[in-house]
Amino acid sequence: MTMDRRDTDESPHPGILRKKGFEFGFDPEACAACAGRCCSGDPGRIWVSEGEIAKISRFLGIHPVDLVHTCLYRVDGRLSIREVPADDGFRCLFLESGRPARCAVYPVRPRQCRTFPFWDRYRGRGRLLAEECPGIRNPD
């Protein structure tokens, strides 16, 4: 589940992604040994925009209306990808199990997914995030 490199800053360590304002780096190579912990666990929201819905539906070869009805649900006027029960709680509907876990819509995944782990909620919380994500580096 690597992030889009356009959303990161240059890092002095090859392969480690960094973003200004975050005390940690992220090694996308660690995803190969992970079961998709960033896409499973406690229930949450995976927000999608109209543009992302169009891209995902095109990628899957289904009509956007069908995607909305089968894969998304509405929360306070916004749309989120459905989650399904999993051993550790819930997982994104598009997360295919295995090691590594695989995202069925990876090339067109929503921005929220592309920018993980550089979310505002993790600023100053790198150590806590490192307990969940094996790709977090130097969380001081």
Side-chain angles (χ1 to χ4, degrees):
M1 311 290 148
T2 58
M3 105 176 307
D4 188 325
R5 293 187 189 279
R6 292 173 297 185
D7 295 315
T8 61
D9 298 326
E10 291 297 315
S11 171
H13 306 287
I16 304 297
L17 304 177
R18 294 191 99 35
K19 187 163 185 175
K20 188 174 185 172
F22 290 84
E23 76 282 10
F24 57 83
F26 176 65
D27 179 2
E29 296 299 317
C31 298
C34 184
R37 286 185 258 174
C38 56
C39 305
S40 61
D42 292 336
R45 306 280 192 258
I46 309 141
W47 303 116
V48 290
S49 68
E50 286 184 30
E52 291 167 337
I53 291 169
K55 287 179 184 177
I56 293 169
S57 61
R58 243 187 334 268
F59 182 79
L60 294 174
I62 63 174
H63 193 279
V65 171
D66 294 331
L67 178 77
V68 170
H69 287 297
T70 60
C71 302
L72 308 178
Y73 68 104
R74 191 169 297 281
V75 179
D76 297 327
R78 297 173 71 188
L79 290 170
S80 176
I81 296 173
R82 291 184 188 276
E83 294 175 295
V84 295
D87 292 339
D88 60 345
F90 293 88
R91 67 172 174 77
C92 174
L93 178 70
F94 295 120
L95 180 65
E96 298 173 349
S97 60
R99 237 182 238 287
R102 182 182 168 275
C103 175
V105 296
Y106 187 82
V108 294
R109 68 200 184 281
R111 179 173 177 77
Q112 179 178 336
C113 303
R114 288 191 325 266
T115 59
F116 180 86
F118 298 106
W119 297 347
D120 286 340
R121 67 187 277 186
Y122 294 127
R123 285 182 199 272
R125 301 178 77 193
R127 284 201 186 281
L128 180 63
L129 180 59
E131 293 175 14
E132 293 184 32
C133 178
I136 300 303
R137 301 292 183 262
N138 303 321
D140 295 333

